[in-house]
Amino acid sequence: MQDSPRQLNQIFLQSEDCVNNSTDVIYPSYKRDEVNIGIVHLGLGAFHRSHQAMYTEQLLNLQGGGDWGICAVSFRNQALQAQLNKQDCLYTTAILDVEDSFQVVGAIKEVLVVKTQASLVLERMAAETTKIVSLTVTEKGYCLNAQGVLDETLPEIINDLASIEQPGSAIGLIVAALNLRFKKGIKPFHVIACDNLPENGRKLKSAVIQFASKISENLAQWIDKEIHFPNTMVDSITPKTEQDTVDLIKNKLGLIDEAPVQREMFAQWVIEACPNMERPEWEKVGVIFTPDVESFENAKLRILNGLHSALAYIGLLSGYDTVYQAISDEKIKSFLVALVDNEIIPTIDAPTGLNLQDYSRAILARFENPKIKHLLSQIACDGSIKIPVRTLAPIQNNIGADRSIQSLSMVVAAWIHFIRVSYVKKQAVHDPRATELLTAVSQFQGNSNEDVSNFLEIDGLLPDSLKNNVSFITPIQKAYAEIASTFKESPFNA
Ligand code: CS2
């Protein structure tokens, strides 16, 4: 460690070849200057940098370089672009476990921002050298309606359809770039969706084709025929970067990094195997390629993300701030164990060789990592999109199979309470449907049955099979009343 901290990019000045020059941290071991960009990634959140960019970095290290450098695109975050540019787009991933470890990542070669550089972004996406466009734009970035198809009433889609040369949404950018390639006779790129929604690739493909057909039917057919949109499952718990992470890197490594990321040790990436798809050989660094992504997706979305949402709403109502605090409450932990064993696992067809009970226990243990300060409020956002996938889908399966939905109903009821409490306390609700959710709870009269029924009638919130379905609504009403009367605002701590 140095006496006075060094800027992250200065560590390479001493060594022309970017070789390891410290034992405390892994540095890029390839000639970074010789790496060309082959991937454009849309959505420069912490998760991309802690996950897909890390896998790509490991491959670059293993193969001594290659043309799979990343152009990472943020939609709006000019501050992050400035920070990363200052350090030659290098950043540190802090892996927080019993023993912390650190890796300086060089895979991102360029950072662009759609808001200020839309034409450069399109140019990069349309370049022949770009073979892959990947995305982490969160569930709402797919612009889908409750049926999982492109929602053409969304303002960003209306805008992009009206001016396709100046797109602002991920779907608009993909179609505009493909249109340019199509017209110039350039082979298309393939698209890898990396967000937490079931059949992410398939849904994105149909949204892209639906959008493209409004521009040109030939373009839509070309996309349908030529482009792979593999389904994927992505996993590694990555809380937002905090000042703590910046300080940790400065104190432990003697490095000034304004834009590090933090994550847990565990990471998994499962990608649907597609024949003849030009892509990095990520399988060499542990990525699983399989025809059966669906069972991995379902297991992860319903167990990890499902338990996360349960923890978020129940934990926040109980007065906790982080996943670690909430899971340390024995009552909450026992609730989660019963929820997963009795009402989630029975709804999942396990991927071959995976024992779902062991998988769920390993996930609970991951939540118990005291070094990961994962804010429940971060997980609680966008409930109107997350709850249908994580909670309503297993509820539908259980109703169909005549199994209990008692614990899952508590999660839905806790979510409704979370919205109500946010309204009463005038706390912002981060959700694309925040206005409708807040309007619904503002009209609550204090009668649980009516309040819940009215809330669940919000247009497009529920899948058709659950609308007016007493097998669904009655247990939610009961759970809502139970939380309200027995536990007040601290349901699991009373
Ligand atoms: C979390 C996920 O914020 C959320 O909704 O459930 O971001 C979760 O941490 C990741 O999917 C873990 O891989």
Side-chain angles (χ1 to χ4, degrees):
M1 203 170 107
Q2 306 287 303
D3 292 332
S4 60
R6 293 164 300 165
Q7 294 291 336
L8 188 59
N9 46 348
Q10 285 173 0
I11 52 180
F12 297 112
L13 295 180
Q14 305 139 2
S15 155
E16 214 193 327
D17 289 347
C18 293
V19 290
N20 288 359
N21 53 7
S22 158
T23 47
D24 296 327
V25 53
I26 301 172
Y27 294 102
S29 61
Y30 51 90
K31 291 189 177 169
R32 200 164 169 248
D33 288 350
E34 292 173 13
V35 169
N36 293 311
I37 291 173
I39 300 172
V40 174
H41 182 84
L42 303 179
L44 180 52
F47 185 69
H48 167 64
R49 294 192 288 137
S50 80
H51 186 272
Q52 303 100 57
M54 276 285 280
Y55 278 106
T56 304
E57 177 71 7
Q58 281 154 17
L59 188 64
L60 291 171
N61 278 332
L62 187 78
Q63 299 190 323
D67 287 336
W68 292 113
I70 301 169
C71 165
V73 179
S74 168
F75 283 82
R76 280 170 294 274
N77 199 340
Q78 290 170 265
L80 179 59
Q81 179 187 41
Q83 286 169 331
L84 283 166
N85 280 346
K86 243 193 344 202
Q87 43 197 58
D88 295 342
C89 301
L90 292 161
Y91 65 92
T92 317
T93 300
I95 297 179
L96 307 179
D97 203 272
V98 179
E99 292 289 328
D100 298 341
S101 56
F102 301 88
Q103 178 151 7
V104 173
V105 179
I108 295 182
K109 297 277 317 231
E110 176 180 61
V111 176
L112 298 176
V113 174
V114 177
K115 192 173 155 206
T116 52
Q117 298 173 297
S119 45
L120 274 182
V121 174
L122 270 185
E123 207 178 291
R124 183 55 89 186
M125 291 173 78
E128 200 163 359
T129 42
T130 297
K131 315 275 194 217
I132 300 275
V133 168
S134 52
L135 298 86
T136 47
V137 291
T138 77
E139 295 90 327
K140 60 178 175 280
Y142 290 70
C143 298
L144 306 172
N145 62 19
Q147 281 67 48
V149 298
L150 182 68
D151 185 349
E152 292 180 27
T153 65
L154 290 173
E156 56 267 48
I157 297 299
I158 295 174
N159 287 344
D160 285 2
L161 279 169
S163 57
I164 188 61
E165 300 76 24
Q166 296 243 298
S169 70
I171 309 269
L173 281 164
I174 291 172
V175 175
L178 288 171
N179 194 26
L180 291 173
R181 292 173 88 115
F182 183 58
K183 284 189 186 149
K184 289 189 192 157
I186 300 175
K187 266 176 49 178
F189 48 70
H190 298 290
V191 184
I192 306 185
C194 300
D195 288 284
N196 285 322
L197 66 169
E199 296 199 289
N200 48 12
R202 200 86 66 243
K203 285 190 182 129
L204 181 60
K205 179 173 185 173
S206 69
V208 164
I209 291 176
Q210 187 179 329
F211 188 114
S213 66
K214 313 264 173 210
I215 314 279
S216 132
E217 206 36 66
N218 287 341
L219 174 67
Q221 282 172 16
W222 182 67
I223 296 174
D224 192 19
K225 196 160 149 266
E226 302 290 335
I227 307 187
H228 290 299
F229 287 76
N231 289 327
T232 70
M233 183 273 255
V234 291
D235 190 8
S236 189
I237 291 173
T238 303
K240 229 167 82 218
T241 298
E242 305 277 352
Q243 186 58 37
D244 289 2
T245 325
V246 173
D247 294 344
L248 179 76
I249 285 161
K250 188 166 155 201
N251 297 335
K252 273 215 171 169
L253 307 179
L255 291 176
I256 296 174
D257 182 348
E258 288 185 18
V261 290
Q262 53 166 331
R263 63 160 240 212
E264 62 175 339
M265 172 99 83
F266 183 89
Q268 195 173 34
W269 195 5
V270 184
I271 304 180
E272 189 177 6
C274 297
N276 306 321
M277 175 173 163
E278 194 176 352
R279 58 160 178 82
E281 292 176 289
W282 282 311
E283 63 275 27
K284 297 201 163 146
V285 288
V287 176
I288 300 172
F289 285 86
T290 166
D292 175 30
V293 175
E294 202 186 327
S295 52
F296 282 99
E297 268 177 2
N298 270 337
K300 192 261 172 171
L301 288 170
R302 293 186 181 190
I303 299 182
L304 188 147
N305 298 109
L307 292 182
H308 247 176
S309 288
L311 261 183
Y313 300 122
I314 291 164
L316 285 169
L317 290 176
S318 306
Y320 299 120
D321 293 325
T322 67
V323 167
Y324 176 69
Q325 288 169 354
I327 194 78
S328 303
D329 181 324
E330 276 309 320
K331 285 186 196 154
I332 293 184
K333 188 171 170 189
S334 329
F335 172 79
L336 293 188
V337 168
L339 168 69
V340 76
D341 283 353
N342 304 331
E343 299 185 22
I344 297 180
I345 289 178
T347 71
I348 305 168
D349 281 332
T352 315
L354 186 71
N355 176 314
L356 293 178
Q357 246 221 351
D358 295 349
Y359 178 68
S360 69
R361 295 309 185 267
I363 285 168
L364 290 172
R366 287 164 60 192
F367 293 171
E368 287 171 328
N369 180 340
K371 296 213 180 138
I372 298 281
K373 197 175 137 213
H374 200 178
L375 293 177
L376 296 171
S377 57
Q378 191 186 335
I379 301 167
C381 69
D382 296 343
S384 70
I385 303 185
K386 292 175 178 174
I387 287 283
V389 170
R390 303 173 178 196
T391 315
L392 300 184
I395 284 183
Q396 279 173 288
N397 293 147
N398 285 341
I399 291 178
D402 213 10
R403 285 186 298 254
S404 162
I405 60 163
Q406 204 187 343
S407 302
L408 287 163
S409 300
M410 285 298 258
V411 180
V412 180
W415 173 51
I416 304 175
H417 272 291
F418 162 76
I419 304 286
R420 181 188 61 79
V421 171
S422 304
Y423 172 76
V424 172
K425 292 190 176 169
K426 296 191 170 43
Q427 284 162 353
V429 168
H430 299 283
D431 192 297
R433 309 197 62 182
T435 311
E436 290 152 279
L437 301 176
L438 289 167
T439 306
V441 296
S442 74
Q443 289 159 0
F444 278 12
Q445 301 289 332
N447 174 326
S448 294
N449 286 359
E450 274 176 30
D451 292 346
V452 168
S453 300
N454 292 339
F455 186 91
L456 295 176
E457 269 165 26
I458 295 176
D459 199 26
L461 194 64
L462 295 182
D464 287 345
S465 71
L466 295 183
K467 272 187 206 148
N468 305 317
N469 182 338
V470 284
S471 314
F472 167 68
I473 294 173
T474 310
I476 310 283
Q477 289 169 326
K478 258 182 80 187
Y480 184 88
E482 196 178 324
I483 294 176
S485 66
T486 316
F487 301 109
K488 299 275 188 285
E489 280 183 16
S490 213
F492 291 83
N493 269 341

